[in-house]
Amino acid sequence: MDFSSICIILIGTTFGLILRILIKNNFKKSIGFDIQNTSIVNFLSAFFLGILVALNFINNEILVLFYSGFLGCFSTFSTFIYQLFILFKKREFLRLFFHYIEVIIFSFIFFYLGYFLIYFF
């Protein structure tokens, strides 16, 4: 990996982190609990990924900027796994199951929606 790729990833991660923090902090005030905030970020991340896949960039620098940089920092997979672990520790297996299903199914729906909007229009 060359220096320009590293700089491009850093730019993407900076914007991804800023957007994730803005969304999580602003929705935290109005919604009131963290699981849904993380889900919103994951759904938006899946939606953006669907758009990027449909655009089918050939330019390698754009791929690195958006896929590895922006979406890599914007999505909250590690937070999702941590929340599942907390629910497991609390023995809230039904909530764990439904949260897992919610994130997986809705993330796929949002991915397809982003893909559909770009690819078919």
Side-chain angles (χ1 to χ4, degrees), residues 48-57 67 111 114-120:
F48 291 149
L49 182 61
I51 289 172
L52 292 174
V53 168
L55 290 174
N56 196 16
F57 289 114
Y67 288 123
F111 173 86
Y115 182 83
F116 179 80
L117 286 174
I118 298 300
Y119 191 75
F120 292 107

mmCIF file of all heavy atoms in Angstrom, residues 48-57 67 111 114-120:
data_model
loop_
_atom_site.group_PDB
_atom_site.id
_atom_site.type_symbol
_atom_site.label_atom_id
_atom_site.label_comp_id
_atom_site.label_asym_id
_atom_site.label_seq_id
_atom_site.Cartn_x
_atom_site.Cartn_y
_atom_site.Cartn_z
ATOM 1 N N PHE A 48 -25.606 3.090 1.771
ATOM 2 C CA PHE A 48 -24.485 3.687 1.034
ATOM 3 C C PHE A 48 -23.690 2.617 0.275
ATOM 4 O O PHE A 48 -23.254 2.840 -0.850
ATOM 5 C CB PHE A 48 -23.553 4.451 1.963
ATOM 6 C CG PHE A 48 -24.147 5.702 2.550
ATOM 7 C CD1 PHE A 48 -23.767 6.134 3.814
ATOM 8 C CD2 PHE A 48 -25.088 6.454 1.872
ATOM 9 C CE1 PHE A 48 -24.294 7.282 4.374
ATOM 10 C CE2 PHE A 48 -25.627 7.609 2.420
ATOM 11 C CZ PHE A 48 -25.220 8.022 3.670
ATOM 12 N N LEU A 49 -23.509 1.458 0.895
ATOM 13 C CA LEU A 49 -22.782 0.377 0.233
ATOM 14 C C LEU A 49 -23.536 -0.092 -1.007
ATOM 15 O O LEU A 49 -22.926 -0.351 -2.046
ATOM 16 C CB LEU A 49 -22.552 -0.789 1.197
ATOM 17 C CG LEU A 49 -21.767 -1.964 0.629
ATOM 18 C CD1 LEU A 49 -20.372 -1.523 0.215
ATOM 19 C CD2 LEU A 49 -21.695 -3.079 1.652
ATOM 20 N N GLY A 50 -24.854 -0.198 -0.908
ATOM 21 C CA GLY A 50 -25.649 -0.568 -2.076
ATOM 22 C C GLY A 50 -25.487 0.425 -3.209
ATOM 23 O O GLY A 50 -25.367 0.037 -4.381
ATOM 24 N N ILE A 51 -25.469 1.703 -2.880
ATOM 25 C CA ILE A 51 -25.258 2.739 -3.895
ATOM 26 C C ILE A 51 -23.888 2.588 -4.537
ATOM 27 O O ILE A 51 -23.752 2.628 -5.763
ATOM 28 C CB ILE A 51 -25.418 4.145 -3.272
ATOM 29 C CG1 ILE A 51 -26.890 4.401 -2.929
ATOM 30 C CG2 ILE A 51 -24.890 5.229 -4.212
ATOM 31 C CD1 ILE A 51 -27.124 5.671 -2.144
ATOM 32 N N LEU A 52 -22.865 2.385 -3.721
ATOM 33 C CA LEU A 52 -21.507 2.265 -4.260
ATOM 34 C C LEU A 52 -21.337 1.026 -5.122
ATOM 35 O O LEU A 52 -20.653 1.068 -6.151
ATOM 36 C CB LEU A 52 -20.491 2.256 -3.112
ATOM 37 C CG LEU A 52 -20.365 3.567 -2.343
ATOM 38 C CD1 LEU A 52 -19.444 3.394 -1.144
ATOM 39 C CD2 LEU A 52 -19.856 4.672 -3.251
ATOM 40 N N VAL A 53 -21.948 -0.070 -4.739
ATOM 41 C CA VAL A 53 -21.867 -1.286 -5.553
ATOM 42 C C VAL A 53 -22.565 -1.072 -6.888
ATOM 43 O O VAL A 53 -22.064 -1.496 -7.935
ATOM 44 C CB VAL A 53 -22.454 -2.496 -4.785
ATOM 45 C CG1 VAL A 53 -22.650 -3.690 -5.693
ATOM 46 C CG2 VAL A 53 -21.558 -2.860 -3.608
ATOM 47 N N ALA A 54 -23.703 -0.409 -6.881
ATOM 48 C CA ALA A 54 -24.425 -0.151 -8.126
ATOM 49 C C ALA A 54 -23.651 0.793 -9.039
ATOM 50 O O ALA A 54 -23.714 0.658 -10.260
ATOM 51 C CB ALA A 54 -25.806 0.425 -7.825
ATOM 52 N N LEU A 55 -22.923 1.755 -8.461
ATOM 53 C CA LEU A 55 -22.141 2.684 -9.281
ATOM 54 C C LEU A 55 -20.956 1.991 -9.944
ATOM 55 O O LEU A 55 -20.463 2.449 -10.965
ATOM 56 C CB LEU A 55 -21.665 3.867 -8.435
ATOM 57 C CG LEU A 55 -22.762 4.837 -8.000
ATOM 58 C CD1 LEU A 55 -22.195 5.881 -7.046
ATOM 59 C CD2 LEU A 55 -23.402 5.515 -9.196
ATOM 60 N N ASN A 56 -20.477 0.911 -9.360
ATOM 61 C CA ASN A 56 -19.418 0.072 -9.936
ATOM 62 C C ASN A 56 -18.199 0.880 -10.363
ATOM 63 O O ASN A 56 -17.829 0.918 -11.535
ATOM 64 C CB ASN A 56 -19.972 -0.734 -11.112
ATOM 65 C CG ASN A 56 -19.062 -1.871 -11.494
ATOM 66 O OD1 ASN A 56 -18.179 -2.246 -10.732
ATOM 67 N ND2 ASN A 56 -19.273 -2.415 -12.674
ATOM 68 N N PHE A 57 -17.587 1.556 -9.403
ATOM 69 C CA PHE A 57 -16.408 2.375 -9.678
ATOM 70 C C PHE A 57 -15.262 1.527 -10.209
ATOM 71 O O PHE A 57 -14.991 0.442 -9.709
ATOM 72 C CB PHE A 57 -15.927 3.084 -8.409
ATOM 73 C CG PHE A 57 -16.838 4.176 -7.945
ATOM 74 C CD1 PHE A 57 -17.511 4.062 -6.747
ATOM 75 C CD2 PHE A 57 -17.030 5.310 -8.700
ATOM 76 C CE1 PHE A 57 -18.351 5.061 -6.300
ATOM 77 C CE2 PHE A 57 -17.868 6.316 -8.279
ATOM 78 C CZ PHE A 57 -18.529 6.191 -7.074
ATOM 79 N N TYR A 67 -15.050 2.550 0.207
ATOM 80 C CA TYR A 67 -15.227 1.227 0.809
ATOM 81 C C TYR A 67 -14.404 1.071 2.080
ATOM 82 O O TYR A 67 -14.930 0.774 3.148
ATOM 83 C CB TYR A 67 -14.840 0.110 -0.167
ATOM 84 C CG TYR A 67 -15.800 -0.105 -1.294
ATOM 85 C CD1 TYR A 67 -15.386 -0.031 -2.612
ATOM 86 C CD2 TYR A 67 -17.133 -0.405 -1.054
ATOM 87 C CE1 TYR A 67 -16.260 -0.244 -3.657
ATOM 88 C CE2 TYR A 67 -18.022 -0.614 -2.094
ATOM 89 C CZ TYR A 67 -17.578 -0.536 -3.390
ATOM 90 O OH TYR A 67 -18.446 -0.742 -4.420
ATOM 91 N N PHE A 111 -29.478 -2.110 1.825
ATOM 92 C CA PHE A 111 -28.469 -2.312 0.785
ATOM 93 C C PHE A 111 -29.157 -2.428 -0.577
ATOM 94 O O PHE A 111 -28.784 -1.762 -1.539
ATOM 95 C CB PHE A 111 -27.650 -3.579 1.062
ATOM 96 C CG PHE A 111 -26.721 -3.936 -0.057
ATOM 97 C CD1 PHE A 111 -25.452 -3.377 -0.124
ATOM 98 C CD2 PHE A 111 -27.105 -4.806 -1.051
ATOM 99 C CE1 PHE A 111 -24.596 -3.698 -1.167
ATOM 100 C CE2 PHE A 111 -26.255 -5.129 -2.098
ATOM 101 C CZ PHE A 111 -24.995 -4.573 -2.143
ATOM 102 N N GLY A 114 -30.577 0.955 -1.793
ATOM 103 C CA GLY A 114 -29.540 1.808 -2.365
ATOM 104 C C GLY A 114 -29.089 1.324 -3.726
ATOM 105 O O GLY A 114 -28.917 2.105 -4.666
ATOM 106 N N TYR A 115 -28.923 0.008 -3.852
ATOM 107 C CA TYR A 115 -28.522 -0.581 -5.130
ATOM 108 C C TYR A 115 -29.601 -0.358 -6.183
ATOM 109 O O TYR A 115 -29.318 0.046 -7.307
ATOM 110 C CB TYR A 115 -28.261 -2.079 -4.930
ATOM 111 C CG TYR A 115 -27.808 -2.792 -6.163
ATOM 112 C CD1 TYR A 115 -26.468 -2.777 -6.536
ATOM 113 C CD2 TYR A 115 -28.701 -3.488 -6.969
ATOM 114 C CE1 TYR A 115 -26.038 -3.433 -7.676
ATOM 115 C CE2 TYR A 115 -28.291 -4.140 -8.109
ATOM 116 C CZ TYR A 115 -26.950 -4.114 -8.453
ATOM 117 O OH TYR A 115 -26.531 -4.751 -9.576
ATOM 118 N N PHE A 116 -30.848 -0.608 -5.809
ATOM 119 C CA PHE A 116 -31.978 -0.472 -6.730
ATOM 120 C C PHE A 116 -32.129 0.958 -7.214
ATOM 121 O O PHE A 116 -32.374 1.205 -8.398
ATOM 122 C CB PHE A 116 -33.256 -0.950 -6.050
ATOM 123 C CG PHE A 116 -34.484 -0.831 -6.888
ATOM 124 C CD1 PHE A 116 -34.759 -1.797 -7.859
ATOM 125 C CD2 PHE A 116 -35.363 0.227 -6.741
ATOM 126 C CE1 PHE A 116 -35.889 -1.693 -8.656
ATOM 127 C CE2 PHE A 116 -36.492 0.333 -7.530
ATOM 128 C CZ PHE A 116 -36.755 -0.631 -8.488
ATOM 129 N N LEU A 117 -31.987 1.932 -6.319
ATOM 130 C CA LEU A 117 -32.162 3.334 -6.694
ATOM 131 C C LEU A 117 -31.152 3.769 -7.756
ATOM 132 O O LEU A 117 -31.479 4.547 -8.654
ATOM 133 C CB LEU A 117 -32.040 4.233 -5.470
ATOM 134 C CG LEU A 117 -33.232 4.214 -4.524
ATOM 135 C CD1 LEU A 117 -32.926 5.040 -3.276
ATOM 136 C CD2 LEU A 117 -34.488 4.718 -5.199
ATOM 137 N N ILE A 118 -29.937 3.293 -7.654
ATOM 138 C CA ILE A 118 -28.896 3.696 -8.614
ATOM 139 C C ILE A 118 -28.931 2.818 -9.859
ATOM 140 O O ILE A 118 -28.887 3.307 -10.991
ATOM 141 C CB ILE A 118 -27.503 3.637 -7.951
ATOM 142 C CG1 ILE A 118 -27.422 4.607 -6.777
ATOM 143 C CG2 ILE A 118 -26.403 3.905 -8.963
ATOM 144 C CD1 ILE A 118 -27.664 6.058 -7.138
ATOM 145 N N TYR A 119 -28.996 1.525 -9.675
ATOM 146 C CA TYR A 119 -28.874 0.593 -10.800
ATOM 147 C C TYR A 119 -30.044 0.667 -11.759
ATOM 148 O O TYR A 119 -29.875 0.558 -12.971
ATOM 149 C CB TYR A 119 -28.718 -0.833 -10.256
ATOM 150 C CG TYR A 119 -28.335 -1.830 -11.309
ATOM 151 C CD1 TYR A 119 -27.035 -1.872 -11.798
ATOM 152 C CD2 TYR A 119 -29.260 -2.725 -11.830
ATOM 153 C CE1 TYR A 119 -26.668 -2.783 -12.778
ATOM 154 C CE2 TYR A 119 -28.914 -3.636 -12.792
ATOM 155 C CZ TYR A 119 -27.620 -3.665 -13.273
ATOM 156 O OH TYR A 119 -27.250 -4.559 -14.241
ATOM 157 N N PHE A 120 -31.245 0.827 -11.259
ATOM 158 C CA PHE A 120 -32.419 0.787 -12.116
ATOM 159 C C PHE A 120 -32.930 2.167 -12.533
ATOM 160 O O PHE A 120 -33.915 2.274 -13.248
ATOM 161 C CB PHE A 120 -33.544 -0.011 -11.449
ATOM 162 C CG PHE A 120 -33.219 -1.466 -11.344
ATOM 163 C CD1 PHE A 120 -32.902 -2.028 -10.128
ATOM 164 C CD2 PHE A 120 -33.202 -2.267 -12.469
ATOM 165 C CE1 PHE A 120 -32.594 -3.376 -10.021
ATOM 166 C CE2 PHE A 120 -32.906 -3.616 -12.377
ATOM 167 C CZ PHE A 120 -32.588 -4.163 -11.157
#
